[in-house]
Amino acid sequence: TLGLGVLRDAISPLVTEERNGQFEFSMSYPVDGALFDEIKNDRIIKADAGHSLKAQRFKIIRITKPAGGVVKVYAEHVSYLSQDLALKPEVNFSGKADQTLNTWQNNIVDEHPFTTFSDIQTNGIGKWTIDKVENARRALGGVSGSILDIYGGEYRFDNYQIALYANRGSDSGALIAYGKNLTDVQQEEEIANTYT
């Protein structure tokens, strides 16, 4: 359904998805917009995240104070719900990636909506313990011994379906060249964590 309504007054809505990384939504919204009073933390915004990921759900996590009559809204993909779920204190797994994802799914302590899939055929073995893997999302990736660490691959989060593919995309044969189909490049440098 259209839920509480369409956010027609949204300014610059943007979905950012990094390979095996962040999956977030942001937008600006005027305080005099039709649905401003409905924009609250923990509410869900549906947005397309590219040509193949339609109607993705994003949970609002932060709304800034109005500046110039506009607020900035930040939301995380619903797959981040796995950060709030705990695994059993010790979980052993082995087999192909699909079997390990099923083990992951079946060892989450609380009820959850997640389904899993993988096409990776290599075998792996490992163990997650509560002192190394604090929540279910960390078991997916980001720590030593995670599913991503052992099997490799590329995650595709489609609302509550978590899929781990050997290769998520396909080779189109296109060559990116500056001045032809690449019109701008930006480089950032950061020295915040540099020590001498």
Side-chain angles (χ1 to χ4, degrees):
T1 70
L2 294 177
L4 297 172
V6 177
L7 296 170
R8 298 183 198 282
D9 300 317
I11 303 166
S12 305
L14 176 67
V15 173
T16 303
E17 182 188 15
E18 294 178 358
R19 188 184 86 172
N20 297 331
Q22 73 175 6
F23 197 0
E24 299 172 342
F25 171 86
S26 64
M27 71 172 179
S28 296
Y29 200 84
V31 294
D32 59 354
L35 293 173
F36 175 75
D37 292 336
E38 300 298 339
I39 297 175
K40 299 175 183 171
N41 283 328
D42 292 331
R43 290 255 168 107
I44 300 291
I45 294 175
K46 273 180 151 180
D48 291 346
H51 64 280
S52 64
L53 289 173
K54 302 292 185 186
Q56 294 301 298
R57 294 175 179 95
F58 295 87
K59 184 175 94 168
I60 297 173
I61 59 166
R62 186 165 60 102
I63 304 165
T64 64
K65 298 290 183 195
V70 176
V71 296
K72 188 84 171 165
V73 179
Y74 299 93
E76 293 177 329
H77 191 263
V78 292
S79 63
Y80 281 67
L81 170 64
S82 59
Q83 287 181 148
D84 300 332
L85 299 172
L87 288 171
K88 291 180 181 171
E90 188 172 299
V91 179
N92 293 300
F93 62 89
S94 63
K96 296 183 169 101
D98 200 37
Q99 294 167 304
T100 299
L101 281 166
N102 282 332
T103 300
W104 173 85
Q105 182 181 350
N106 294 329
N107 282 280
I108 294 176
V109 175
D110 298 321
E111 288 186 29
H112 61 87
F114 294 111
T115 59
T116 58
F117 168 80
S118 182
D119 65 355
I120 296 176
Q121 297 299 309
T122 57
N123 285 309
I125 188 168
K127 177 168 69 170
W128 301 309
T129 56
I130 198 165
D131 62 325
K132 303 267 193 283
V133 180
E134 307 90 42
N135 59 54
R137 187 150 185 112
R138 300 289 280 172
L140 293 175
V143 296
S144 179
S146 68
I147 295 172
L148 191 60
D149 184 45
I150 291 173
Y151 295 98
E154 299 174 351
Y155 278 113
R156 181 178 192 262
F157 298 102
D158 186 357
N159 287 319
Y160 297 108
Q161 210 237 340
I162 297 172
L164 181 63
Y165 293 101
N167 293 301
R168 182 174 158 184
S170 60
D171 186 354
S172 65
L175 176 65
I176 298 174
Y178 189 77
K180 182 177 179 185
N181 51 7
L182 177 64
T183 58
D184 188 26
V185 176
Q186 291 182 344
Q187 178 181 345
E188 292 184 17
E189 293 184 23
E190 181 180 329
I191 61 168
N193 293 319
T194 303
Y195 301 95
T196 58

